[in-house]
Amino acid sequence: MKINANLILEGNTITLVPLEMKYKEQLYEAIKSPDVWKDTWREVKTFDDIEQILSIAVQSKNDGKQLPFIIKDKLSGEVIGTTRIGDIDKANRNVEIGWTWLSPSVWRTKVNTECKFLLLQYCFEELKVLRVQFSISGQNVRSQNAVERIGAVKEGIFRKHRIKADGTIHDNIFYSIVDTEWNDVKGKLINFLEKKY
């Protein structure tokens, strides 16, 4: 499993480019809305909060632990969010897809679906992983519905797994897609992407 830290993934409406600190201002503008963070265990209120998240992501990329991306609108070139492949376990051919935060302006569009399609396709068809995991806050019903909709299997709940800075305690719900399920999931994603929104 060879990870390309300079990987660019092109879709019909979005491009995933390697995350770099040079995008921090644009990303902050895209995802600074409190609505983006209210159902997560993260507390993001300031530019410094975003800068810290990006700094950790860049370090994780340099250490070979994660492959973080900036999501750009293909037509305008505008930064609309971020996502990544993380918890890379080369020995067992497992990864996690997540850390996906999108501008509310692209919610209920094809952006998240196309992100998942591009990342899953790369993981299963290029990296030849056996399993892709998703971990989602128990309070984030919207994200749970999104991964269930594409065919991810709910595996279990880590109860009281995360504590937010405001003291809120979150369960962590785990889902996965395994290699033998990829063709069915791929078909669903292609159908969703072909539908008009």
Side-chain angles (χ1 to χ4, degrees):
M1 198 162 87
K2 188 172 179 180
I3 306 293
N4 176 5
N6 299 310
L7 178 71
I8 295 172
L9 296 173
E10 294 256 355
N12 291 325
T13 60
I14 60 165
T15 304
L16 303 182
V17 299
L19 184 145
E20 297 176 43
M21 292 304 290
K22 69 180 183 182
Y23 294 112
K24 61 187 176 184
E25 288 89 1
Q26 295 169 41
L27 185 62
Y28 177 68
E29 288 304 314
I31 61 175
K32 67 182 180 183
S33 167
D35 289 339
V36 173
W37 307 100
K38 73 175 183 176
D39 293 324
T40 75
W41 48 74
R42 298 195 188 272
E43 192 85 290
V44 175
K45 294 182 177 177
T46 67
F47 179 77
D48 288 345
D49 294 334
I50 291 291
E51 193 169 32
Q52 184 180 17
I53 286 172
L54 292 192
S55 180
I56 292 167
V58 167
Q59 186 59 54
S60 294
K61 177 173 78 167
N62 294 341
D63 293 343
K65 295 177 182 174
Q66 296 185 339
L67 193 54
F69 297 93
I70 288 292
I71 306 164
K72 288 187 170 184
D73 180 277
K74 202 165 178 179
L75 195 59
S76 69
E78 184 180 343
V79 170
I80 54 176
T82 183
T83 191
R84 68 185 94 158
I85 297 169
D87 291 342
I88 297 169
D89 180 352
K90 292 181 181 179
N92 294 300
R93 292 168 43 205
N94 279 233
V95 298
E96 181 170 329
I97 289 175
W99 302 268
T100 305
W101 303 303
L102 299 171
S103 167
S105 68
V106 298
W107 290 1
R108 291 175 291 284
T109 70
K110 293 183 182 186
V111 168
N112 192 37
T113 304
E114 192 161 34
C115 273
K116 295 300 182 280
F117 175 76
L118 292 171
L119 294 173
L120 287 165
Q121 184 175 46
Y122 173 70
C123 289
F124 285 117
E125 296 180 13
E126 299 297 322
L127 296 181
K128 305 294 186 192
V129 302
L130 298 175
R131 178 178 182 275
V132 172
Q133 171 179 291
F134 305 87
S135 62
I136 301 169
S137 167
Q139 296 184 15
N140 195 340
V141 175
R142 189 169 51 84
S143 290
Q144 292 170 50
N145 289 339
V147 296
E148 288 174 9
R149 177 175 164 254
I150 66 170
V153 175
K154 186 175 182 178
E155 294 182 324
I157 301 171
F158 282 21
R159 298 177 301 157
K160 296 189 176 184
H161 192 230
R162 303 277 186 203
I163 303 174
K164 196 169 180 168
D166 68 3
T168 309
I169 299 171
H170 291 240
D171 292 341
N172 198 4
I173 303 180
F174 286 85
Y175 292 85
S176 73
I177 298 168
V178 296
D179 58 342
T180 52
E181 297 164 343
W182 168 234
N183 280 338
D184 288 341
V185 171
K186 183 177 182 178
K188 281 184 184 181
L189 286 165
I190 288 170
N191 284 338
F192 290 142
L193 290 170
E194 288 173 348
K195 287 181 182 175
K196 290 188 178 179
Y197 273 61

